[in-house]
Amino acid sequence: MAENSVGLSLPLELEDAVIPKSPYDVPGVPGGPLDASDIDRTSVTLSWKVPESDGGTPLTSYLLERRDKKRTMWTKVDRIKPGIKTYAVENLGEGNEYYFRVSAENAEGFGAALTTKDTIICRKPPEVPSVPHGKLRVEKLTEDSVTLSWSKPLDDGGETITGYVIQKNLIGSDEWIDVATVEDLKVTVADLTEGQGYLFRVAAQNLVGTGKFLTTDETVTPEKPLDIPSPPIGPIEVTEILRDSIAISWQPPESDGGSPLVSYIIDKKELKYPSWMRVIEIGASHTDYTVTHLSDGLKYLFRVVAVNKVGPSEPLQIHDYVMARSPYGKPSAPQCLEVAEITKDSAKLQWEAPLQDGGLPLLGYVTEKREALKRGWFKVVSVPADHTSVTVGELLEDHEYLFRVMGFNAEGQGDVVELEDYVRPSRPIAAPSAPTVSVVNVGKDNATLQWNKPASTGGAPVIGYTIEKKEGQNPNWEMVVNIDQYCHLHTVHKLLEGYEYVFAVSAKNKAGVGEKGISDLVVPVRPPEKPSSPIGPLEVTDITESSAVLSWQAPEFDGGAPISCYHVDRCDIRYADEWIKVVKVDYGKEKCTVRELHEGHNYLFRVCAENEIGFSQFLETEHAVLIKSPYGPPSAPEGPIKAINITRDMVAVQWAPPSDDGGSPVMSYTIEKRESGRHSWIVVGHTEVDVLTHGVTNLIEGNEYHIRIMAENMYGLSAPLESLSTFIPKRVLEYFPFQTSWMQEAHVMANMGIYTVQNMPRNEYVYRLLADNPLTTTWEYIDIEMPEILLKHLE
């Protein structure tokens, strides 16, 4: 503009905008490749070349960075002077893999970086393997070969072991001869000379070379190997069986294994035991043996093993168990033992000979006695075989005795025959005295009687009891039953409920029926019992996340006694048959609430009634009941998802509330995004329940995004509402070209439509207006034109 005393002229303005910028540029990529050398456990030396272009201004430095293969972030190593193009990086982790990159810097900034093509592993330089670990072992030796084995070296030298070299040396020679190269840890060297001594050695190989050799400790001389003998020739023959011994025999083995037999080992095993027991080791000249110290009646297995100096053969075993027993038997029991005569201090016994003598002549009989109040039997007398009676004297009057008799032969005493009844030495017999009778149980149509033995048997054994009854005022006794002498308890059936009865019990012996023992008056009545089960079904209602209400009906029958209460149990079906008592309910309520249940668990329930007698059978639910809340998460928000604004890095979306809130008010919404080509969703924001729009920010212009929205109440998140198509952020309005020259004048509220610029220096200005969208961090420019009134004012 020109100026005179009147003022300034109109301005002359450039037609195009001028962008101030430096005439120089950042340097180019350093010359490659980025070489690595001198790699060891913790360091590496890197080298590179100068970039082809320095950007028009001298280089100021190189920036060297490293990145562990397992990480994504680059770490600064050092800033290096521009004249240095080699650098040793130290303090690296042994075994770790690294990437390195270097970039040149000038006054304009850093250029693009040169990066190593492959990862660099820090480790020592490879070398030959160490000597194989342990000893070089001889596993098998024949007349013309040897099998050797060894273990891997402890150190492979940093390279994979490719194989093992095996060499041999003839004793008396200094030359080592290669015989094999193998990959395994075992080798068989063939074509050896029987009787010739050898040494062998082995060394591991890798790509670097061959390691140190491991040599056998002793001279190896091939010779024909000895072996164990073959099993003795069978079968094992049993030549004699007695009650305490069994004789067996066998044949020598077909092969002695190249070494003479030195012995035979004989083992035995009882049927009831799982393990074998050594019997004896006998000389090789014997092929039979009698095994003694056996137990009569037990079954045995036998086996024989041949032995030479190498060791024992496989065993020859008898096929079946053999029982040790005598070929003869003991006599059977004498027949028809009875008491022929009784006095006050003796008893005469008589019997008949046994039916079987065991195959040996009968030698005699043994008589034993036992007092009634004692357990032990005592020998009384032994008589020859031609005597079939004996008088036992020195007995105590009115004491009871039992007697038994057994025959014997050379095998021992046979089976016994025992008197069934006690013998009481006494003077002449009489009828028994009256038993003492008591009534131990009364039912609605029966009564159970119990009685003791009579105080006096009358001098003869009791042979039975008679039970009689008398009904009401009837003076006559009615026979009920006759029972044997061993019974002292009896239940009388077919009685009339409510009628009066009296019972009598009489003992009998050879002298006749004794006095009556009279019971108390008996009136049959039905006794109380347990109640019947509650009436079903057992209903489960009002289920929540931690409780359920049970209901049932009272039992049909209370058992003759009032029902006091009900007992309720529960069972989590994950713990089968583990019932837990949960509540006790008063009779008449027939309903209860079971609490402290676990949501998501399945339960069975049962209930029983109780009276003074006991518990009824349980009434149980027919199926397991799932405990869960009647409420749940809401349904998905209503769609579709609409884009109400799109910028270069933001998409503002809108949706509608879900149709079903799940029984609980919606509290908020969660918004997630997913970039096309990726599988994972990322949470980008939350809104209050009354906000149905959201701006998804920090997007990359031109990329495609999926967006989904979920509603949430106190029971969780709904299923997602997902966008039907992708959203692509893009620029709507271009930036004003003079952005580096603009200065902020003011920040005004959205409801203001005009702003006055005050205190303007005399100059020429251009203004722009930017709108701030509350759903995004992006400012959008709004084109404005200079009002006519302002142009006139400026003129």
Side-chain angles (χ1 to χ4, degrees), residues 19 45 51 69 91 121 171 248 260 299 303 338 361 373 399-400 472 531 535 597 729 763:
I19 302 175
T45 299
K69 182 181 178 181
N91 299 320
I121 304 175
I171 298 299
I248 58 175
K299 293 183 177 181
R303 67 182 183 185
E338 63 180 358
L373 301 179
H399 282 222
E400 292 184 333
I535 297 175
L597 302 178
N763 209 329

Side-chain angles (χ1 to χ4, degrees), residues 137-141 146-150 185-186:
R137 300 177 293 276
V138 176
E139 291 199 349
K140 185 178 180 181
L141 184 63
V146 62
T147 299
L148 306 172
S149 66
W150 57 92
L185 298 174
K186 179 185 287 188

Side-chain angles (χ1 to χ4, degrees), residues 264-338:
Y264 290 101
I265 295 174
I266 302 170
D267 295 335
K268 69 178 180 180
K269 185 172 82 71
E270 292 185 26
L271 176 61
K272 61 181 179 180
Y273 296 117
S275 58
W276 289 88
M277 180 182 300
R278 177 66 51 86
V279 174
I280 195 171
E281 186 170 358
I282 61 176
S285 61
H286 299 281
T287 57
D288 58 13
Y289 185 76
T290 299
V291 182
T292 59
H293 304 294
L294 303 180
S295 298
D296 187 14
L298 294 186
K299 293 183 177 181
Y300 296 89
L301 285 178
F302 300 98
R303 67 182 183 185
V304 181
V305 176
V307 183
N308 64 10
K309 72 175 186 178
V310 178
S313 71
E314 292 295 319
L316 169 66
Q317 182 176 316
I318 197 167
H319 294 298
D320 298 315
Y321 281 93
V322 181
M323 179 184 292
R325 61 183 177 183
S326 172
Y328 307 107
K330 299 174 183 178
S332 60
Q335 303 294 303
C336 305
L337 177 61
E338 63 180 358

Side-chain angles (χ1 to χ4, degrees), residues 400-411:
E400 292 184 333
Y401 297 88
L402 278 179
F403 296 96
R404 66 182 185 182
V405 179
M406 64 202 79
F408 62 91
N409 60 12
E411 287 293 314

Side-chain angles (χ1 to χ4, degrees), residues 146-221:
V146 62
T147 299
L148 306 172
S149 66
W150 57 92
S151 301
K152 290 182 179 180
L154 297 178
D155 184 5
D156 62 4
E159 291 286 349
T160 303
I161 292 176
T162 59
Y164 296 90
V165 177
I166 297 90
Q167 297 179 343
K168 70 179 179 181
N169 168 255
L170 277 68
I171 298 299
S173 170
D174 295 331
E175 181 183 7
W176 286 93
I177 303 170
D178 289 342
V179 294
T181 300
V182 298
E183 297 181 0
D184 296 332
L185 298 174
K186 179 185 287 188
V187 68
T188 298
V189 181
D191 300 326
L192 302 180
T193 302
E194 185 174 1
Q196 170 66 52
Y198 294 89
L199 289 177
F200 297 92
R201 66 183 186 180
V202 62
Q205 291 181 328
N206 61 13
L207 294 178
V208 179
T210 303
K212 293 183 179 180
F213 281 92
L214 173 66
T215 306
T216 51
D217 291 340
E218 299 177 348
T219 301
V220 179
T221 304

Side-chain angles (χ1 to χ4, degrees), residues 43 97 106 120 156 213 359 383 461 550 591 624:
S43 65
E97 297 184 48
N106 62 12
I120 298 172
D156 62 4
F213 281 92
V383 298
L550 308 182
K591 188 175 185 179

